[in-house]
């Protein structure tokens, strides 16, 4: 019987395993050094915040795996013996495979900061990171202040987590406004204000220079790029993630920043595939980046590779870009492309509610008025509708006129739509 080995039990690896089982009777082994059972990584913050227990993050009962004949192996893969189709584990054991799917995920970035490996310095990605955070910051007596480095979504999550335990947080962000390299100015300014409204000490245009150790080898302070010394008991490194592929780099498998794969998610080695955060697309779709550490793209890759392995060769087509997140209590959605600064042939329409907690930015082609993308904060729009409008090449006038049809937020009343229409017409008059 053909044996499929999958390294990694995140959303990409588990989706591949589930769909291979639906399509075949192949033997399937899922390998992970992080946890025995698959869990929702995006729910880790809610465990720390007391909203749920860790076992609540597991979407499947423990009996699910045996019932569906998906074998689970706990272990760390040290080496892939390509010629022998064999995996060598850190404990000396081995496992042979016929097809191999590498879904090893990401690891927090480190940029060679002095002191980055001290005790009390950590990222927020894995189950082990969550457990370590309980040690480093169980309360505001053990952790009197935390410093978070890096202005992305994981950084906001960590700030919110610590805030719920009344731990003071200083947030170092190199941009002029929060996430200013990604968000247009109006969006970024709104989120910057909102973070500060939650009593987070947000320091803009400030980077980490050095982490200072105490006599026990623990972090006790940071030195910033402005020369300021900030005493702290925890340093959270949240300056993005990178593919976790160190165990591959001494093999013949081609890598760049990630594991290089074609549109069928095949590597340069027959019968070895790469999916999820660790995969680097040789032919990325449209404006998409070669590496996308996003939950839904991992799921889509898992579905596609399962089809290919089971005899129905299927290319990975992620479709139109979308994503969502939360900035404390403000929900964020993005569909299509809304760049921080409009490109030469693009315009941005921005509207903000007087309460300062809701806004939208719509990007459109200023030559033919085609709708290109939208960011929303504090406003929920239906994915299916937005995706359809982008795919159909709808005009900006149509989107503004019909925006109410895409809403599923009970608090988004018609007066907001009227205000948006009025603001858009006013912008056209002054353009």
């Amino acid at each position: 019987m053909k044996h499929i080995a999958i390294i990694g039990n995140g959303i990409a690896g588990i989706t591949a395993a589930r769909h291979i089982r639906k399509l075949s009777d192949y033997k399937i082994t899922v390998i992970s050094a992080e946890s025995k059972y698959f869990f929702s990584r995006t729910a880790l913050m809610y465990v720390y915040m007391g909203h749920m227990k860790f076992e609540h993050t597991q979407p499947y009962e423990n009996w699910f795996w045996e019932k569906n004949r998906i074998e689970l192996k706990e272990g760390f893969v040290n080496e892939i013996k390509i010629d022998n189709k064999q995996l060598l584990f850190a404990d000396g054991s081995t496992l042979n495979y016929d097809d191999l799917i590498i879904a090893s995920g990401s690891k927090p970035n480190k940029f060679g900061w002095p002191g980055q490996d001290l005790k009390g310095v950590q990222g927020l990605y894995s189950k082990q990171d969550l457990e370590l955070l309980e040690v480093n910051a169980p309360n505001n007596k053990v952790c009197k202040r935390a410093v978070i480095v890096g202005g992305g979504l994981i950084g906001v999550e960590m700030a919110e987590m610590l805030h719920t335990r009344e731990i003071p947080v200083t947030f170092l962000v190199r941009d002029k406004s929060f996430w200013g390299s990604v968000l247009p100015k109006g969006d970024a300014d709104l989120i910057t204000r909102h973070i500060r409204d939650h009593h987070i000490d947000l320091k803009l245009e400030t980077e980490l220079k050095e982490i200072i150790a105490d006599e026990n080898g623990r972090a006790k302070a940071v030195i910033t790029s402005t020369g300021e010394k900030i005493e702290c008991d925890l340093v959270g490194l949240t300056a993005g993630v990178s593919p976790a592929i160190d165990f591959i780099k001494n093999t013949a498998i081609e890598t760049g920043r990630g594991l290089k794969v074609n549109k069928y998610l095949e590597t340069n080695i027959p019968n070895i595939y790469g999916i999820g955060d660790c995969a680097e697309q040789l032919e990325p779709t449209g404006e998409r980046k070669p590496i996308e550490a996003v939950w839904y793209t991992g799921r889509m890759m898992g579905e596609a590779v399962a089809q290919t392995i089971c005899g129905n060769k299927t290319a990975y087509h992620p479709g139109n870009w979308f994503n969502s997140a939360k900035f404390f209590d403000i929900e964020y959605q993005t569909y299509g492309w809304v760049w921080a600064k409009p490109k030469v042939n693009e315009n941005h329409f921005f509207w903000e509610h007087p309460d300062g907690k809701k806004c939208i930015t719509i990007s459109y082609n200023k030559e033919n008025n085609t709708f290109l993308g939208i960011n929303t904060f504090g406003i929920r729009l239906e994915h299916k509708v937005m995706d359809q409008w982008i795919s159909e090449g709808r005009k900006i006038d149509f989107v503004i006129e019909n925006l109410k049809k895409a809403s599923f937020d009970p608090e988004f009343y018609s007066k907001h739509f009227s205000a948006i229409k009025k603001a858009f017409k006013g912008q056209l008059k002054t353009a």
Side-chain angles (χ1 to χ4, degrees):
M1 183 184 297
K2 192 175 188 179
H3 181 201
I4 314 299
I6 303 173
I7 300 175
N9 71 343
I11 185 63
I14 292 302
T15 301
R18 288 178 50 247
H19 282 262
I20 291 169
R21 176 52 66 236
K22 288 179 181 179
L23 297 167
S24 75
D25 287 324
Y26 297 152
K27 180 181 178 181
I28 303 170
T29 303
V30 177
I31 302 150
S32 175
E34 180 181 15
S35 62
K36 183 173 183 179
Y37 299 112
F38 167 60
F39 65 91
S40 174
R41 196 172 302 282
T42 55
L44 286 178
M45 66 182 293
Y46 300 110
V47 177
Y48 182 88
M49 292 164 68
H51 298 177
M52 60 175 63
K53 296 181 179 179
F54 180 76
E55 54 265 32
H56 299 154
T57 69
Q58 296 171 194
Y60 305 105
E61 299 287 351
N62 293 349
W63 51 257
F64 172 88
W65 310 102
E66 184 176 354
K67 178 182 178 182
N68 287 280
R69 292 173 289 118
I70 298 173
E71 296 183 22
L72 305 178
K73 178 175 173 60
E74 293 183 88
F76 185 85
V77 177
N78 263 353
E79 189 177 351
I80 302 172
K81 302 279 190 181
I82 293 174
D83 293 340
N84 300 331
K85 289 191 172 183
Q86 186 180 72
L87 304 178
L88 177 62
F89 291 84
D91 64 4
S93 62
T94 60
L95 181 74
N96 290 89
Y97 64 85
D98 294 300
D99 284 357
L100 175 64
I101 300 173
I102 301 172
S104 51
S106 296
K107 60 182 180 180
N109 285 332
K110 292 183 177 181
F111 294 104
W113 296 296
Q116 67 181 19
D117 296 317
L118 291 171
K119 296 175 184 176
V121 181
Q122 67 166 96
L124 181 63
Y125 178 83
S126 67
K127 178 177 182 284
Q128 286 72 27
D129 290 334
L130 177 67
E131 293 166 348
L132 186 58
L133 193 62
E134 284 288 1
V135 174
N136 289 330
N139 52 55
N140 59 13
K141 293 180 176 61
V142 173
C143 182
K144 296 179 176 61
R145 175 165 292 277
V147 172
I148 297 174
V149 180
L153 299 179
I154 297 176
V156 169
E157 286 185 1
M158 183 178 274
E160 182 177 359
M161 291 162 68
L162 296 168
H163 181 68
T164 63
R165 298 197 185 186
E166 299 181 345
I167 297 172
V169 174
T170 295
F171 207 163
L172 308 184
V173 174
R174 67 180 180 180
D175 291 330
K176 293 182 179 179
S177 55
F178 186 84
W179 222 20
S181 61
V182 175
L183 298 176
K185 187 178 185 303
D187 299 352
D189 287 348
L190 182 146
I191 294 303
T192 297
R193 293 194 308 268
H194 195 64
I195 290 171
R196 285 176 168 158
D197 285 346
H198 283 79
H199 308 292
I200 303 300
D201 178 26
L202 180 61
K203 294 184 181 295
L204 300 173
E205 298 183 271
T206 306
E207 299 183 59
L208 174 65
K209 184 178 179 182
E210 182 181 359
I211 305 171
I212 306 298
D214 66 11
E215 63 277 7
N216 298 313
R218 287 192 65 86
K220 71 171 185 178
V222 302
I223 305 296
T224 73
S225 56
T226 65
E228 182 181 6
K229 181 179 181 180
I230 305 171
E231 293 187 359
C232 60
D233 302 293
L234 169 71
V235 180
L237 301 182
T238 64
V241 295
S242 54
I245 58 169
D246 289 346
F247 68 103
I248 300 170
K249 290 185 176 179
N250 62 348
T251 71
I253 302 173
E254 187 178 358
T255 62
R257 283 189 58 238
L259 178 64
K260 292 189 176 182
V261 297
N262 63 17
K263 63 182 179 181
Y264 298 103
L265 306 168
E266 300 166 319
T267 69
N268 62 311
I269 304 298
N271 304 106
I272 297 182
Y273 305 82
I275 60 175
D277 294 12
C278 68
E280 179 178 350
Q281 306 291 320
L282 291 170
E283 305 171 69
T285 302
E287 301 278 4
R288 284 178 173 270
K289 295 179 180 179
I291 300 172
E292 291 181 338
V294 184
W295 181 89
Y296 75 88
T297 58
R299 175 181 55 79
M300 294 172 77
M301 289 186 213
E303 293 175 2
V305 80
Q307 291 286 339
T308 294
I309 283 176
C310 294
N312 178 29
K313 194 163 186 177
T314 301
Y316 166 61
H317 289 302
N320 294 317
W321 168 254
F322 71 94
N323 201 6
S324 63
K326 277 188 70 179
F327 295 88
F328 289 85
D329 55 343
I330 292 182
E331 294 189 36
Y332 158 68
Q333 293 176 302
T334 184
Y335 300 101
W337 299 113
V338 184
W339 306 109
K341 293 183 179 180
K343 295 186 177 181
V344 175
N345 63 333
E346 296 175 4
N347 270 344
H348 281 178
F349 162 65
F350 175 74
W351 171 86
E352 182 176 339
H353 191 274
D355 68 7
K357 295 185 178 181
K358 302 179 187 72
C359 73
I360 64 170
T361 298
I362 301 178
S363 175
Y364 62 99
N365 186 303
K366 65 184 180 183
E367 296 172 359
N368 59 22
N369 289 329
T370 301
F371 171 50
L372 301 174
I374 185 170
N375 288 347
T376 71
F377 291 86
I379 298 168
R380 292 178 178 178
L381 298 178
E382 189 175 346
H383 176 205
K384 181 180 179 180
V385 175
M386 304 313 298
D387 186 67
Q388 181 178 342
W389 288 354
I390 293 169
S391 296
E392 292 174 349
R394 292 290 188 173
K395 304 298 184 182
I396 179 66
D397 293 333
F398 174 90
V399 173
I400 294 293
E401 190 64 32
N402 292 277
L403 201 57
K404 185 177 180 180
K405 295 179 181 179
S407 171
F408 66 93
D409 189 337
E411 296 180 356
F412 192 32
Y413 299 115
S414 58
K415 61 182 181 182
H416 292 168
F417 295 106
S418 298
I420 291 169
K421 290 179 186 178
K422 183 178 179 180
F424 181 71
K425 289 178 181 177
Q427 183 192 82
L428 288 181
K429 289 179 181 178
T430 58

